[in-house]
Amino acid sequence: MLILEPRATTPRWLTVLTPVMAVIATMIAGGILFAILGKNPVEAIRIIFLDPLLDPYSRTEILVKAAPLILIAIGLSLGFRAGVWNIGAEGQFILGALAGGATGLAFYPVEGIWLLPLMTVAGALGGFLWAMIPAILKIRFGANEILVSLMLVYVAILLLSALVSGPLRDPDGFNFPESRQFHNAASLPILIEGSRVHAGVLVALGAVIAAYVILQRHMLGFRIKLTGQAPRAARFAGVSQNVIIAICLGISGALAGMAGLFEASGPVGQLVPALPAGYGFTAIIVAFLGRLHPVGILLAGLVMALTYIGGETAQLMLRIPSAAISVFQGMLLFFLLAVDVLTGFRLRWVGRTSA
Amino acid sequence: MTALLSIRELTKSYPGVLANDAVSFGLAPGEIHALLGENGAGKSTLVKMIYGLVRPDSGRMMLDGEAFTPANPQAARAAGVAMVFQHFSLFEAMSVAENIALGMANAPGRRDLSERIRTISTAYGLPLDPERMVGTLSVGERQRVEIVRCLLQNPRILIMDEPTSVLTPQEVEILFGTLRRLSEEGVAILYISHKLEEIRSLCSAATILRGGRVVDTCTPSQKSARELAEMMIGSALAQPPERPETTGEPMLTLTGLNMATEDHFGISLKDITLTVLAGEVIGIAGVAGNGQDELLLALSGETKSAPGQIMLGETDIGALGPNQRRNLGLLAAPEERLGHAAAPDMSLTENALLSGATRERLAWQGFIKPVTTANFARAIIARFDVRTPGPETAAKALSGGNLQKFLMGREILQRPRVLVVNQPTWGVDAHAAATIRAALVQLAADGAGVIVISQDLDELMEVSNRFAVLNMGALSDPQPVGEVSVEKIGLMMGGVHGEVADAHP
């Protein structure tokens, strides 16, 4: 019979290998799923995983999709390391877009290079404050941050709808529930001519580097890791758990808020009810697929963006339903959690001797 | 005498270690047989094989002349082997009878079982109330539950793993009475302990293990404790330095320290008054669970106290956190190594940073200085002879003794003005324990004030200048060590167990 026995130490190669195994398992199971839908599985997998890499425009689109995923996932990973479970990045994303976007709209049509930085700060602040609600409730009353942050996502979605149908509605927009298009100074500059790659990509890269430095070289990162691994030892080391809760939720909220603003003032160009595209939730998968490590998250964000782009192409070319693509991404997390068992345990075959 | 249990060439290896290497010995009916050895000598593996928890790689066991290969503890129990573990497996929120029923294959009815518990526990001098909640029992009483649970199975072999580490001297005497009586009835007892004096008075034979092999056998009463220790570790023990009488400056003053516990089964500290002088070691004895953990937390700064109750020199530190206290020179080493004093999955370097960051200036503007930190870890490893491949090793990969040397070294090398340690040598081999005690005494000799909280009276007698007892969260007046006898201390600790139980709220 096959048994699981705990490992004393986890080899480093295994930590790196398990996400790759999860991707491969997803490809196989996804292929079976597509075959059941009557599509050619090999072609479907090729379209999703390979074709986007061969097409120059698709390559830039991967960066556009990966930037918000990475930015949010970096913030979430700090909290996850400390055992602070912010599941509401989607809501903080929306509040960031709202706060930053409203700032941009308020200054319409003033031009000036100061406007975008101001909008970015407002966006980060919006996400930060929205994340402070679960933080304060947890610190003050011990409320579960998973529940509170998740429920606030739905509040945020309704708030966005209400605002773009009311105060933020485009005065020349024939009563469509949308804001005005951001004017020039309020729009993110494009980095690569002829693509949608915007400055937010650089910010995401900066967040990866900053998170790496914090986790490897700074006391804050050490305290976050300590709180997650050994809470009593953290207390002995003088770490205040409440401060860690506030910092982790605050940073992840601010980064998600920034990602929201970048999405609004970049690829979308205005505030619309359909702005939240699930980045805040997908980023949770990205954070775990990247092993909560900044470099891992960078790679995982790119892989996840690839499945988005490839998935869209597959929808168009093979007429695979969009839900199948979501199932596909969900499977990735599912398989990751499954192979994760292997990092903590080893499989061993034992004879059927013991009762 | 024919052997009840005989063990031939038993071998068991784990990845990287040979835990038992061709171990052989015999156990006669009614014999109290000591298994003696340092941590990691292979005692636990050996008894786990006898109890069916671990299967040997090779070798044979014979019970009553027939092959004995227990596949699991149930099979071992059915064959008459019972074991009392060092760490109890009891549910605090259930009664004594319920806990005992849980471990039985086919438990009798509730009333019947309670009656049998009462009969057996009284007959063997270990009175127990079957209806009490385990959460309200002292450690000594919990051990009785485990023993009575074993006795209900009418065992022929009883294995006891470090049974006295949590008991007062009087409780130890009661336990020994029970064990001697079982022995007279023909039950063979396999007794694992570090406490050499106990083995000398109780056991009729001893098998000494070192590095997984049987290195010697002897009759313990014919050897001195020192000879036994040296057989166990294979070399001479470190001697603690001489302690001059001290009358130094007051370093730490506790005045009426009161603190309510946060834990449901914890103990509140009651009106603790104590002055620690420069150059002295104060020993604090007491049975586990009488406020030791709470006292350490109050001193380390993990729990805060009201103003004026804790003074470090002239500074009121009651409201300061752990790092502020470290900066002022008050350092602490908690009892629980993995999870409290150290983060198990982190490297020794990171664990050096854990308590050393502020006082050793291992970070600048929050940025960790990697070279300085690794050097600090290396200094601890070198100075305290920590056996490890290097400072990048995870804390949990070290043996208990080596990790404890590292954790003690981490605090001592920070040159504390006052150091508070809880159970500094718990579960640590004799060699490491001697090193740690010598370092604590040396620290005091160099002018620091040291508080040693311990349940090991011999240890306290060895290191302390003055001595006090913590009982139900209250601290007795400290007395010079030379003026108290072990019996008197035992009575201060709560004496025979009934008195403590009555005092329980």
Side-chain angles (χ1 to χ4, degrees), chain B residues 199-214:
Chain B
I199 287 176
R200 289 187 63 234
S201 75
L202 180 72
C203 300
S204 49
T207 296
I208 294 134
L209 292 174
R210 194 194 312 149
R213 316 177 67 128
V214 175

mmCIF file of all heavy atoms in Angstrom, chain B residues 199-214:
data_model
loop_
_atom_site.group_PDB
_atom_site.id
_atom_site.type_symbol
_atom_site.label_atom_id
_atom_site.label_comp_id
_atom_site.label_asym_id
_atom_site.label_seq_id
_atom_site.Cartn_x
_atom_site.Cartn_y
_atom_site.Cartn_z
ATOM 1 N N ILE B 199 18.038 6.064 39.530
ATOM 2 C CA ILE B 199 18.326 4.749 38.980
ATOM 3 C C ILE B 199 19.099 3.926 40.000
ATOM 4 O O ILE B 199 18.844 2.736 40.187
ATOM 5 C CB ILE B 199 19.105 4.905 37.656
ATOM 6 C CG1 ILE B 199 18.135 5.407 36.592
ATOM 7 C CG2 ILE B 199 19.760 3.602 37.240
ATOM 8 C CD1 ILE B 199 18.754 5.701 35.276
ATOM 9 N N ARG B 200 20.008 4.596 40.714
ATOM 10 C CA ARG B 200 20.801 3.865 41.720
ATOM 11 C C ARG B 200 19.902 3.307 42.822
ATOM 12 O O ARG B 200 20.123 2.211 43.308
ATOM 13 C CB ARG B 200 21.865 4.768 42.314
ATOM 14 C CG ARG B 200 22.986 5.079 41.320
ATOM 15 C CD ARG B 200 24.110 5.837 41.974
ATOM 16 N NE ARG B 200 24.737 5.057 43.029
ATOM 17 C CZ ARG B 200 24.889 5.488 44.262
ATOM 18 N NH1 ARG B 200 24.448 6.676 44.612
ATOM 19 N NH2 ARG B 200 25.462 4.720 45.155
ATOM 20 N N SER B 201 18.879 4.085 43.224
ATOM 21 C CA SER B 201 18.063 3.605 44.332
ATOM 22 C C SER B 201 16.963 2.647 43.871
ATOM 23 O O SER B 201 16.509 1.818 44.641
ATOM 24 C CB SER B 201 17.456 4.785 45.094
ATOM 25 O OG SER B 201 16.408 5.345 44.349
ATOM 26 N N LEU B 202 16.538 2.744 42.629
ATOM 27 C CA LEU B 202 15.372 1.975 42.199
ATOM 28 C C LEU B 202 15.717 0.705 41.427
ATOM 29 O O LEU B 202 15.102 -0.340 41.625
ATOM 30 C CB LEU B 202 14.469 2.879 41.330
ATOM 31 C CG LEU B 202 13.200 2.236 40.792
ATOM 32 C CD1 LEU B 202 12.194 2.041 41.926
ATOM 33 C CD2 LEU B 202 12.569 3.092 39.697
ATOM 34 N N CYS B 203 16.682 0.795 40.538
ATOM 35 C CA CYS B 203 16.825 -0.267 39.539
ATOM 36 C C CYS B 203 17.793 -1.350 39.987
ATOM 37 O O CYS B 203 18.797 -1.086 40.653
ATOM 38 C CB CYS B 203 17.308 0.325 38.220
ATOM 39 S SG CYS B 203 16.155 1.552 37.583
ATOM 40 N N SER B 204 17.498 -2.582 39.574
ATOM 41 C CA SER B 204 18.357 -3.703 39.945
ATOM 42 C C SER B 204 19.363 -4.031 38.849
ATOM 43 O O SER B 204 20.308 -4.773 39.075
ATOM 44 C CB SER B 204 17.504 -4.929 40.261
ATOM 45 O OG SER B 204 16.570 -5.128 39.225
ATOM 46 N N ALA B 205 19.128 -3.522 37.666
ATOM 47 C CA ALA B 205 20.077 -3.748 36.577
ATOM 48 C C ALA B 205 20.008 -2.553 35.648
ATOM 49 O O ALA B 205 19.019 -1.829 35.632
ATOM 50 C CB ALA B 205 19.732 -5.023 35.810
ATOM 51 N N ALA B 206 21.067 -2.337 34.893
ATOM 52 C CA ALA B 206 21.057 -1.233 33.935
ATOM 53 C C ALA B 206 21.775 -1.649 32.671
ATOM 54 O O ALA B 206 22.783 -2.364 32.725
ATOM 55 C CB ALA B 206 21.724 0.005 34.527
ATOM 56 N N THR B 207 21.196 -1.216 31.540
ATOM 57 C CA THR B 207 21.865 -1.389 30.256
ATOM 58 C C THR B 207 22.179 -0.003 29.740
ATOM 59 O O THR B 207 21.307 0.863 29.719
ATOM 60 C CB THR B 207 20.949 -2.138 29.272
ATOM 61 O OG1 THR B 207 20.718 -3.442 29.792
ATOM 62 C CG2 THR B 207 21.583 -2.240 27.890
ATOM 63 N N ILE B 208 23.441 0.204 29.400
ATOM 64 C CA ILE B 208 23.844 1.547 29.000
ATOM 65 C C ILE B 208 24.034 1.598 27.489
ATOM 66 O O ILE B 208 24.749 0.783 26.905
ATOM 67 C CB ILE B 208 25.134 1.970 29.734
ATOM 68 C CG1 ILE B 208 24.817 2.092 31.224
ATOM 69 C CG2 ILE B 208 25.643 3.304 29.219
ATOM 70 C CD1 ILE B 208 25.802 1.463 32.107
ATOM 71 N N LEU B 209 23.359 2.559 26.871
ATOM 72 C CA LEU B 209 23.421 2.706 25.419
ATOM 73 C C LEU B 209 24.210 3.965 25.086
ATOM 74 O O LEU B 209 24.116 4.976 25.772
ATOM 75 C CB LEU B 209 22.013 2.859 24.837
ATOM 76 C CG LEU B 209 21.085 1.653 24.906
ATOM 77 C CD1 LEU B 209 19.694 2.046 24.421
ATOM 78 C CD2 LEU B 209 21.609 0.523 24.056
ATOM 79 N N ARG B 210 24.992 3.863 24.034
ATOM 80 C CA ARG B 210 25.654 5.050 23.508
ATOM 81 C C ARG B 210 25.748 4.875 21.998
ATOM 82 O O ARG B 210 26.188 3.815 21.530
ATOM 83 C CB ARG B 210 27.048 5.218 24.110
ATOM 84 C CG ARG B 210 27.657 6.594 23.865
ATOM 85 C CD ARG B 210 29.138 6.612 24.173
ATOM 86 N NE ARG B 210 29.463 6.006 25.441
ATOM 87 C CZ ARG B 210 30.611 5.364 25.678
ATOM 88 N NH1 ARG B 210 31.501 5.232 24.728
ATOM 89 N NH2 ARG B 210 30.842 4.826 26.847
ATOM 90 N N GLY B 211 25.304 5.875 21.254
ATOM 91 C CA GLY B 211 25.369 5.827 19.796
ATOM 92 C C GLY B 211 24.670 4.621 19.214
ATOM 93 O O GLY B 211 25.084 4.065 18.203
ATOM 94 N N GLY B 212 23.576 4.163 19.859
ATOM 95 C CA GLY B 212 22.792 3.065 19.318
ATOM 96 C C GLY B 212 23.293 1.689 19.694
ATOM 97 O O GLY B 212 22.685 0.689 19.331
ATOM 98 N N ARG B 213 24.407 1.598 20.454
ATOM 99 C CA ARG B 213 24.941 0.287 20.816
ATOM 100 C C ARG B 213 24.933 0.125 22.330
ATOM 101 O O ARG B 213 25.016 1.093 23.070
ATOM 102 C CB ARG B 213 26.378 0.136 20.335
ATOM 103 C CG ARG B 213 26.618 0.617 18.946
ATOM 104 C CD ARG B 213 28.083 0.478 18.626
ATOM 105 N NE ARG B 213 28.435 -0.934 18.567
ATOM 106 C CZ ARG B 213 29.072 -1.478 17.545
ATOM 107 N NH1 ARG B 213 29.426 -0.742 16.534
ATOM 108 N NH2 ARG B 213 29.367 -2.757 17.549
ATOM 109 N N VAL B 214 24.857 -1.136 22.758
ATOM 110 C CA VAL B 214 24.998 -1.408 24.188
ATOM 111 C C VAL B 214 26.483 -1.305 24.507
ATOM 112 O O VAL B 214 27.290 -2.058 23.964
ATOM 113 C CB VAL B 214 24.472 -2.812 24.527
ATOM 114 C CG1 VAL B 214 24.747 -3.123 25.988
ATOM 115 C CG2 VAL B 214 22.990 -2.885 24.234
#
